[in-house]
Amino acid sequence: MELSVKQYMQQQPGYPNVSDTDKYYYVVAVHVARAWDKCGVLVNIDERARVRVVLALIGYYQDIVADAGLWRTFTSLHEAQYGQPLPHYGRAEEYVDYELNLDDLRYLIWYTLDYSPEVTDALDPHDGSLLQLAREVFAVLDYDYEHAPVPVELTMLTGVDLDDENDRQATYDLAHWFYWRSYLMQGNAHAATTEAMPQAHDIIARCGESDAAPLLHDLNDRIMATRPATMGPISLPLAQWLKEITK
């Protein structure tokens, strides 16, 4: 599996700027990709979907190390709304909330494959291959977990005051990254892009590619403002997600 620096960086909050922690976690992502290749589990899946999974796993890892709040918010809201925690496997005795957990990795692999457009056959979330792969990934991520550096850019999630006028740009940057590029919102981003594609094509047809950029940017902003953001089975307005994550 080939994982380019650009593929990795496009999901980072600081993109296109590259920090030292970006370099560290890109190397970890490459190790995860190699471990998957070597273990021989689920290797026949379209490589684009496999890359999505690796990026989601690294996004989760960074989130947990930074205590950025995406996973915590998702699982807390799910338990509040449905009366049961995630992951839904029956948690192992050693499971620790909001730490690196094998069960989380297992769920996240299934979750990411489930929304990947390249995967047409539904995969049982209890399929044994998911647990096998999760164990391989856990070994890679756990190796230096206690000493992994805090991803600098993810501190933006806990350092933004949504009600502070001086944080307007930071709030916008957070909203844009969360809606379009964060690891738990990739299914949402794909669905939103698919729905907006006819409008985007119309804009390009009317204006030409060279003049379409600002209008396409405005289209993205309108989608963020009006289309609920869906994470797993939970769909909320973007502003509400941000309030939950930053509180």
Side-chain angles (χ1 to χ4, degrees):
M1 180 191 332
E2 295 295 327
L3 177 63
S4 71
V5 173
K6 183 175 182 180
Q7 286 173 314
Y8 165 80
M9 283 303 305
Q10 283 178 331
Q11 286 199 262
Q12 300 306 305
Y15 179 76
N17 298 320
V18 181
S19 68
D20 288 340
T21 51
D22 285 328
K23 297 174 185 177
Y24 174 90
Y25 285 100
Y26 172 68
V27 172
V28 177
V30 170
H31 286 320
V32 169
R34 290 175 179 171
W36 190 347
D37 287 340
K38 289 180 181 178
C39 77
V41 177
L42 297 174
V43 293
N44 294 325
I45 292 173
D46 188 291
E47 184 163 314
R48 291 169 294 178
R50 295 177 65 205
V51 167
R52 291 177 194 272
V53 172
V54 171
L55 293 175
L57 293 168
I58 294 301
Y60 159 83
Y61 188 50
Q62 292 172 299
D63 180 11
I64 295 300
V65 171
D67 191 26
L70 275 72
W71 181 255
R72 181 177 65 248
T73 299
F74 176 39
T75 55
S76 297
L77 289 176
H78 185 280
E79 185 163 7
Q81 186 165 330
Y82 296 99
Q84 61 181 18
L86 281 176
H88 44 49
Y89 298 115
R91 292 178 172 179
E93 289 184 7
E94 61 270 23
Y95 190 96
V96 179
D97 283 333
Y98 319 135
E99 295 288 346
L100 176 64
N101 288 290
L102 176 65
D103 289 335
D104 294 348
L105 299 174
R106 180 184 176 191
Y107 174 83
L108 191 56
I109 294 167
W110 170 80
Y111 172 86
T112 309
L113 290 174
D114 189 56
Y115 73 65
S116 294
E118 301 85 8
V119 179
T120 55
D121 296 326
L123 186 63
D124 186 339
H126 295 276
D127 190 299
S129 59
L130 295 171
L131 180 57
Q132 288 180 262
L133 179 55
R135 285 173 173 154
E136 297 289 337
V137 174
F138 184 84
V140 174
L141 300 183
D142 189 51
Y143 177 75
D144 201 34
Y145 174 55
E146 295 298 332
H147 305 288
V150 174
V152 176
E153 291 75 13
L154 282 181
T155 59
M156 67 186 281
L157 301 181
T158 54
V160 174
D161 184 345
L162 302 180
D163 298 319
D164 188 340
E165 185 69 20
N166 293 324
D167 277 358
R168 175 180 290 184
Q169 184 61 48
T171 298
Y172 174 81
D173 292 343
L174 167 59
H176 191 276
W177 172 79
F178 175 75
Y179 194 94
W180 294 110
R181 296 188 284 124
S182 61
Y183 74 100
L184 282 171
M185 281 293 176
Q186 290 305 294
N188 173 80
H190 175 73
T193 300
T194 300
E195 290 176 19
M197 198 61 69
Q199 297 180 66
H201 286 318
D202 181 62
I203 289 171
I204 294 172
R206 286 188 289 106
C207 304
E209 290 190 17
S210 60
D211 297 324
L215 296 176
L216 293 175
H217 187 275
D218 289 344
L219 174 60
N220 282 354
D221 286 353
R222 290 201 307 273
I223 291 170
M224 284 198 307
T226 59
R227 185 185 185 278
T230 301
M231 187 186 291
I234 303 172
S235 185
L236 298 172
L238 177 58
Q240 189 171 344
W241 276 115
L242 297 183
K243 287 179 181 178
E244 293 291 338
I245 291 170
T246 58
K247 70 181 183 182

